[in-house]
Amino acid sequence: MSLIARLVAGCRGLLQRQRVERDLDDELQAYLDEATEQHIRAGMTPDAARRAARAAFGSVAAVKDHTRDTGWEAMVEGVWRDVRYAVRALRRAPGFSATVVLTLSIAIGGNAAIFQLADAVQLRPLPVDRPEQIVEVRMAHPERGRMGTFSGRRPLFTFALWNELRQRQRAFTGLAAWGAYPVNVAPGNIAQLGQGIWVSGGYFATLGVTPHLGRLLTESDDRPGCGTPAAVLGYGFWKRQYGGDPSIVGKRIALDGHPFEIVGVAPRDFVGLEVGRTFDVATPVCAERITNVDRSALTDRAWWWLAGVGRLAPGWTAARASSHLASISSDIFRATVPSGQEAKQTDAYLASTLAAYPASTGVSGTVREEYTAPLGVLLGLAALVLVIAAANIATLLLARATACERDAAVRLALGAPRSRLIRQLMMESTLLAAIGAIGGTLLGQPLSEGLVALLQSSGFQFFAIGFDLQPNWRVLAFSIGVASATCLLFGLAPAILATRPARSALVRGLSRSSSDARPHGALRAGLVMGQIALALVLVVAALLLTRTLSNLATADSGLDVRGVAAIVVQHPNVPVEQRRQAEVQLLAAVRAVPEAEAAASASMIPLTGESWSGHVIVDGVQHPRQTYFNRVSDGYFATLRTRFIAGRDFTAADGLDRPRVAIVNASFARELLGRSNAIGSTFAFPPRPGSTMQPIEVVGMVEDAKHLGLRDPFEPMAYFPVAQQSRPPDYVNLLVRLSTPGSTPTVVDAIARIEPTAVLLALPLQSQISDQTVRERLLAVLSSAFAAAAALLALLGLYGAVAYGVTQRVQEIGIRMALGAKGTEIIGAFLRHSMWVSGIGILVGLTAAVGAAPYLESLLFDLNPRDPALFTVVAIAFILVAIAAAYIPARRATKVDPVTALRCD
Amino acid sequence: MGDADKSTDLVQGTLHMLILKTLALEPMHGFGIGVRLEQISRGVFQVNGGSLFPALRRLERDGLIAGEWRTTENNRRAKYYALTAAGRTRLKRETRDWETQTAAIARILKASLGEL
């Protein structure tokens, strides 16, 4: 009750300030009048009585102040007064304010941008109804029981397995399955790959997502046969491809050449369940059969292509769901055993169990694993930049505070409480930090979008990284937190020092003595030292990360992808028995193009992540070392410039009717065949049940070449001729080395002339390299930017400190010059001091960098994180630049005219 | 200010109680309260305006006393304060607490080993 009374009274105090003020004046006057009256009655003259009354009362202003201070509104008023004062003070120094606000905005914006990305990777809950109820369902040990074909990014279910689970489980109120696939979204014969997801009928309903436009897919869309299938567009795709056309619902879209009806658009924030991935079109699972005419995953019990989540029934936990799933697992797996497998594989399959895993922040694919550490490192580096910026601003504020010291001393002497002065100075810092935080938040959004653009792949969009980056309260809270911490960091020390009462600042201020002309020297030097040390750490980190990128890009991969175009020709209309012939014709047509230096075909394009691996039988026993395989045409190694060590290339004669042959790489020869020259050796595949083993003769040997990824080590690899493949697929991968860059369209035209109905997709193979180094590029670019900013700030800090020292000591320098000191001596004195400061800073920085470098180790490639040469170079560079930064302002000291210097003040 | 203002020697918070007690006798203006306190305490407490007005403001803010402008016996305008119902309750409680405490303190100060 009294709280409300206080609140009301306080508000009245604020709103009717003049009346309340007049009231108080009147009351005090009445008091003094009464007191005077009493003194007169006691026999004093009116004058003496008035004086006595006043003397007894004390300072009217002070009493008024005290009386006013009893209410909370006084505090508000005080703060408001400080704010206005701070605004005035900052407006009087526009250069200073702009510098600080800009520095802060960039530093806070950089931090916010990286945090927003880290938030999207790590923290952001799924934008679905009650995300805490969503769990992922999958095999407890997917590496053991799965055998067969895998497609998509999360191949954890076969269709049969999924169906059994759906019918038998009772832990979930809804289940949602999806499988990602690259899909051609262009209507013509030049393909444009988009990201498709097959979704089960219950997908959107289970997640509780509401459409942005039209409707989403339901159970009635996902039924056997499918009819005219429906498609839901992703928000980003709808904006990109259709310009956000609101009348899109009801129109058709060609997916892999088949018509789908667009029934709706997904909401903006819903980009699927996989962290870091988005989808362009969602189509019902049943439509898989329509696009995969040759061989459907719907009927193949050994084809893993779906992932699934469930919504826990009320009262259920992931643990309870797991034990329920474990109890029904054996029935589910027994009902779905793939046919034609070895007994050992079937046993492993039957021994599998299903379990539930929390997935409220989405299911973590490779993106979360790959980017958690880099984003952590980047956040750390960004924080260092912020600390340097704060130290820089602290130096500026310190200089300002020193300038105001006389003012502060006078006010302290007149009885102002020190806390008031600190509050007032802090208000300036708070104001700067607040504006910086707003600027940083505004800047953070485009910056984080820029970062995602940096992550975009230029090649197969299937592996593109996508996020929904809408600002949220976590990002906002982070920016505010960062700004507040920075504000304390740069604001408090100068405020405390400037109001330090122990020193007779007033006296000193009025007659400045040269012995104490550099106030807060230790703090100033410490700030510069800290900036140099931190900047050095950042520069070392940036150099390590940049060199990793260049190491990766120039690493000997055994193949030269520059100038090689990969062209995928899809011709499902060509019957199986004619495909071999069609491939030969395509290759001939491509080789006839004058710009084509060399051309070949391959069943898997290197560095795209496609792989085929297994075990082979050498000397009658299965070799334990796993090896990789590919099918290639003649000219493959010449096209990719992989060198032959021995033997021959495949020829047109190596057909199905001839003995089986292979070309192996050096690792295969060494590790599996146990000899340096493997020509003439044989190996074989384990025979299928009921067939005989077919020996494969090694006819050629090539140097090792990367196949999976640039970071992966060289693996044993065997290549087989495409001509010895009994059932060619419905596509041909062509690799063409072009003599002139940009002549891919000529080659594409040549292909289109002989196969007008085929769908073509052309990509420079080089883009695969840049796609594989996306993470390294992000780290290199950002850390370099941070290091540059940090180094610049630190140098400005050093420059500023020396320049300040020179201005502060003008008198002293003047006297010395008048007494005959040489310019070089004066410069030397300043240089010596700044070299001490930066030398210690460099040493501290080197120690810190050596200590911190191992944290980067997992992100480096082919590099010693404590490379002594690199550290030496950085240290020398810092020393040289520090000398330059100190020399320029120090030289100004010698320009001091003794007479002017002594006259000043 | 120090010497003239003996109210600084007052136990923290007792000034409020004394003002409430003074106003319980009759409504009074600021100067009157000071004079009355000095009279009753036989000059032991001299309450200065510097302490009196913040205290009055706080009591008024807490709704324990209410102010009203009236004319004094000397025909001047002055703000007269009177106890509110809440103030009366508070005074009763504080008086009781005070008596309990002082009695206890007095017992402690008079204590001798024999009594234990």
Side-chain angles (χ1 to χ4, degrees):
Chain A
M1 196 192 93
S2 91
L3 191 76
I4 296 170
R6 264 182 233 184
L7 204 67
V8 171
C11 289
R12 213 181 52 218
L14 280 179
L15 296 174
Q16 314 174 340
R17 210 175 62 216
Q18 283 186 346
R19 235 202 65 201
V20 172
E21 196 75 353
R22 214 171 41 232
D23 239 31
L24 184 60
D25 278 341
D26 288 353
E27 202 179 348
L28 295 184
Q29 193 53 53
Y31 181 97
L32 285 174
D33 288 350
E34 287 287 344
T36 313
E37 189 89 3
Q38 203 190 33
H39 286 308
I40 292 174
R41 256 181 283 152
M44 283 192 189
T45 61
D47 249 15
R50 209 170 295 124
R51 265 201 305 277
R54 283 253 175 200
F57 191 79
S59 154
V60 175
V63 171
K64 273 171 75 177
D65 251 4
H66 276 126
T67 311
R68 259 193 239 112
D69 281 351
T70 55
W72 59 264
E73 77 272 14
M75 181 74 178
V76 175
E77 265 177 40
V79 170
W80 177 232
R81 200 167 44 237
D82 286 347
V83 169
R84 277 180 312 178
Y85 185 86
V87 169
R88 266 205 309 278
L90 293 179
R91 270 172 51 184
R92 256 194 317 243
F96 162 81
S97 309
T99 311
V100 172
V101 164
L102 202 68
T103 312
L104 271 181
S105 296
I106 293 171
I108 293 175
N111 274 275
I114 293 168
F115 179 79
Q116 186 155 16
L117 219 58
D119 174 69
V121 169
Q122 209 64 45
L123 303 172
R124 177 178 168 268
L126 286 170
V128 303
D129 183 30
R130 285 160 295 161
E132 69 284 353
Q133 293 179 345
I134 302 294
V135 292
E136 183 177 29
V137 183
R138 59 175 164 85
M139 281 156 76
H141 300 283
E143 67 284 356
R144 278 188 217 149
R146 293 178 309 161
M147 285 298 263
T149 313
F150 300 94
S151 66
R153 287 184 297 252
R154 257 183 121 65
L156 294 167
F157 276 98
T158 63
F159 187 64
L161 192 58
W162 175 255
N163 261 336
E164 281 301 314
L165 165 70
R166 208 166 49 168
Q167 281 157 28
R168 291 178 194 261
Q169 68 79 22
R170 37 188 21 73
F172 309 104
T173 54
L175 282 169
W178 79 98
Y181 67 106
V183 61
N184 173 17
V185 294
N189 74 328
I190 303 298
Q192 182 199 344
L193 279 191
Q195 305 203 52
I197 48 171
W198 311 111
V199 300
S200 63
Y203 182 83
F204 288 112
T206 298
L207 297 175
V209 176
T210 45
H212 176 75
L213 213 64
R215 67 173 180 87
L216 298 173
L217 299 174
T218 63
E219 291 288 357
S220 63
D221 292 301
D222 186 18
R223 55 177 198 278
C226 244
T228 305
V232 165
L233 304 184
Y235 184 90
F237 180 73
W238 172 62
K239 280 275 178 197
R240 233 174 21 249
Q241 199 83 353
Y242 297 99
D245 175 10
S247 66
I248 196 73
V249 175
K251 293 196 176 140
R252 304 222 151 182
I253 180 173
L255 299 177
D256 282 342
H258 305 279
F260 282 70
E261 187 191 341
I262 298 170
V263 295
V265 176
R268 177 175 169 183
D269 56 358
F270 184 76
V271 294
L273 299 175
E274 289 171 85
V275 173
R277 308 291 189 187
T278 61
F279 70 92
D280 293 333
V281 284
T283 46
V285 160
C286 66
E288 194 268 350
R289 198 194 302 268
I290 296 173
T291 45
N292 284 358
V293 189
D294 249 20
R295 181 180 158 218
S296 169
L298 288 167
T299 51
D300 191 334
R301 286 182 160 198
W303 192 329
W304 303 80
W305 58 297
L306 294 171
V309 295
R311 181 176 291 283
L312 289 170
W316 284 69
T317 61
R320 189 174 162 205
S322 283
S323 58
H324 166 69
L325 288 169
S327 72
I328 59 171
S329 284
S330 72
D331 287 342
I332 292 178
F333 285 102
R334 205 170 315 122
T336 56
V337 177
S339 56
Q341 279 189 338
E342 284 178 41
K344 228 166 71 184
Q345 288 174 9
T346 306
D347 287 346
Y349 183 82
L350 286 174
S352 303
T353 50
L354 292 172
Y357 300 89
S360 63
T361 58
V363 298
S364 67
T366 49
V367 174
R368 186 175 284 172
E369 281 146 32
E370 277 182 16
Y371 284 92
T372 298
L375 287 173
V377 165
L378 286 177
L379 211 49
L381 297 183
L384 288 188
V385 175
L386 194 66
V387 171
I388 295 175
N392 217 289
I393 295 168
T395 323
L396 289 177
L397 281 174
L398 201 56
R400 257 174 75 79
T402 315
C404 303
E405 211 171 34
R406 249 160 87 174
D407 176 47
V410 170
R411 293 175 59 183
L412 282 172
L414 290 180
R418 187 165 171 229
S419 60
R420 265 298 306 276
L421 288 187
I422 291 183
R423 198 174 77 187
Q424 203 166 73
L425 287 172
M426 275 311 280
M427 190 53 74
E428 281 183 34
S429 314
T430 310
L431 206 64
L432 288 170
I435 302 172
I438 294 169
T441 312
L442 293 179
L443 212 62
Q445 186 65 20
L447 275 179
S448 63
E449 275 162 20
L451 288 186
V452 175
L454 203 65
L455 292 174
Q456 280 321 310
S457 105
S458 48
F460 291 110
Q461 283 296 315
F462 188 47
F463 294 101
I465 288 172
F467 293 107
D468 165 55
L469 284 178
Q470 287 180 72
N472 58 45
W473 64 265
R474 283 183 306 280
V475 176
L476 204 65
F478 176 84
S479 300
I480 292 171
V482 161
S484 318
T486 319
C487 171
L488 272 182
L489 221 57
F490 70 67
L492 204 52
I496 289 176
L497 283 176
T499 58
R500 198 159 48 178
R503 305 161 70 192
S504 52
L506 184 60
V507 181
R508 190 163 51 76
L510 293 178
S511 66
R512 188 165 16 175
S513 74
S514 60
S515 65
D516 195 18
R518 286 188 306 148
H520 325 312
L523 178 68
R524 207 178 289 283
L527 284 172
V528 172
M529 229 178 263
Q531 288 181 58
I532 290 176
L534 291 178
L536 188 133
V537 172
L538 276 163
V539 168
V540 167
L543 282 175
L544 286 172
L545 293 168
T546 312
R547 275 184 53 188
T548 291
L549 178 65
S550 69
N551 278 1
L552 267 178
T554 59
D556 182 22
S557 56
L559 34 88
D560 179 8
V561 297
R562 281 165 303 171
V564 176
I567 301 170
V568 183
V569 182
Q570 277 208 299
H571 51 196
N573 302 332
V574 178
V576 174
E577 57 276 12
Q578 290 171 27
R579 283 180 189 164
R580 176 78 212 116
Q581 189 51 36
E583 184 170 344
V584 171
Q585 280 174 1
L586 280 172
L587 210 48
V590 169
R591 283 174 176 158
V593 174
E595 285 88 350
E597 220 172 82
S601 66
S603 64
M604 277 168 295
I605 304 170
L607 306 178
T608 54
E610 290 181 298
S611 74
W612 167 26
S613 64
H615 294 272
V616 294
I617 293 176
V618 182
D619 298 332
V621 283
Q622 181 167 324
H623 199 282
R625 179 81 159 96
Q626 178 179 267
T627 169
Y628 287 82
F629 311 108
N630 196 0
R631 285 186 191 282
V632 302
S633 74
D634 60 297
Y636 173 83
F637 299 104
T639 306
L640 292 177
R641 293 190 176 146
T642 304
R643 280 185 300 279
F644 267 91
I645 298 171
R648 65 168 176 89
D649 194 1
F650 298 131
T651 65
D654 296 317
L656 268 173
D657 51 340
R658 302 285 298 167
R660 307 289 293 276
V661 293
I663 293 171
V664 299
N665 69 0
S667 292
F668 190 100
R670 194 176 57 246
E671 295 183 36
L672 281 96
L673 303 175
R675 57 198 80 170
S676 57
N677 190 343
I679 307 299
S681 314
T682 59
F683 65 94
F685 280 106
R688 295 224 176 140
S691 65
T692 54
M693 201 158 77
Q694 262 193 309
I696 304 166
E697 191 195 340
V698 176
V699 296
M701 208 172 109
V702 290
E703 62 174 336
D704 285 345
K706 295 279 164 91
H707 180 73
L708 269 183
L710 288 173
R711 274 173 176 269
D712 298 300
F714 290 113
E715 297 279 356
M717 187 133 190
Y719 302 87
F720 309 112
V722 280
Q724 288 187 341
Q725 185 174 22
S726 50
R727 210 186 133 85
D730 63 354
Y731 61 87
V732 178
N733 294 326
L734 295 169
L735 295 166
V736 190
R737 178 169 292 282
L738 301 163
S739 53
T740 29
S743 48
T744 313
T746 325
V747 181
V748 168
D749 284 348
I751 297 169
R753 263 199 302 282
I754 64 162
E755 280 210 37
T757 59
V759 177
L760 307 179
L761 175 72
L763 291 168
L765 204 50
Q766 175 79 44
S767 66
Q768 287 312 123
I769 301 257
S770 33
D771 282 2
Q772 298 219 351
T773 52
V774 157
R775 190 176 82 152
E776 285 71 25
R777 211 165 55 230
L778 175 79
L779 279 166
V781 169
L782 279 186
S783 63
S784 303
F786 289 158
L792 187 70
L793 283 173
L795 288 178
L796 283 178
L798 180 63
Y799 179 98
V802 176
Y804 182 78
V806 170
T807 7
Q808 288 288 302
R809 290 167 69 182
V810 159
Q811 273 182 319
E812 182 197 333
I813 297 166
I815 292 170
R816 285 181 185 219
M817 302 266 285
L819 293 177
K822 290 201 193 75
T824 49
E825 282 168 11
I826 304 236
I827 293 180
F830 278 107
L831 277 188
R832 252 195 314 281
H833 180 252
S834 57
M835 279 309 102
W836 264 110
V837 170
S838 38
I840 295 173
I842 290 169
L843 276 182
V844 171
L846 282 175
T847 316
V850 167
Y855 289 105
L856 282 181
E857 187 134 36
S858 67
L859 301 175
L860 302 181
F861 178 79
D862 202 13
L863 200 63
N864 172 13
R866 287 169 171 170
D867 183 10
L870 184 139
F871 276 76
T872 315
V873 169
V874 171
I876 292 173
F878 262 75
I879 292 171
L880 292 179
V881 176
I883 290 175
Y887 178 75
I888 299 167
R891 222 167 51 108
R892 279 215 320 248
T894 60
K895 304 273 193 292
V896 170
D897 174 12
V899 181
T900 328
L902 290 173
R903 257 200 217 122
C904 111
D905 251 14
Chain B
M1 316 178 206
D3 292 342
D5 189 2
K6 289 192 182 159
S7 70
T8 49
D9 298 331
L10 279 173
V11 179
Q12 194 76 41
T14 43
L15 177 61
H16 288 187
M17 185 172 67
L18 297 183
I19 293 173
L20 289 179
K21 177 65 192 171
T22 314
L23 293 178
L25 303 175
E26 62 172 319
M28 190 86 70
H29 52 75
F31 184 75
I33 295 171
V35 171
R36 182 63 61 86
L37 276 175
E38 202 177 330
Q39 282 173 355
I40 302 177
S41 70
R42 303 215 182 100
V44 173
F45 296 141
Q46 291 179 11
V47 182
N48 185 284
S51 322
L52 189 63
F53 282 103
L56 285 174
R57 172 64 67 94
R58 192 159 287 144
L59 291 170
E60 191 182 18
R61 184 57 57 82
D62 289 353
L64 301 177
I65 59 175
E68 189 193 359
W69 286 93
R70 273 195 236 156
T71 319
T72 65
E73 58 267 34
N74 301 332
N75 226 3
R76 270 202 198 82
R77 264 167 50 81
K79 196 171 178 183
Y80 275 75
Y81 292 96
L83 225 51
T84 64
R88 224 170 286 283
T89 322
R90 172 69 66 90
L91 177 62
K92 231 174 259 167
R93 204 183 68 216
E94 286 200 357
T95 313
R96 203 174 48 236
D97 290 352
W98 177 258
E99 277 163 1
T100 322
Q101 281 174 13
T102 44
I105 291 169
R107 267 201 304 282
I108 292 168
L109 292 178
K110 279 184 199 144
S112 63
L113 263 179
E115 286 173 45
L116 293 176

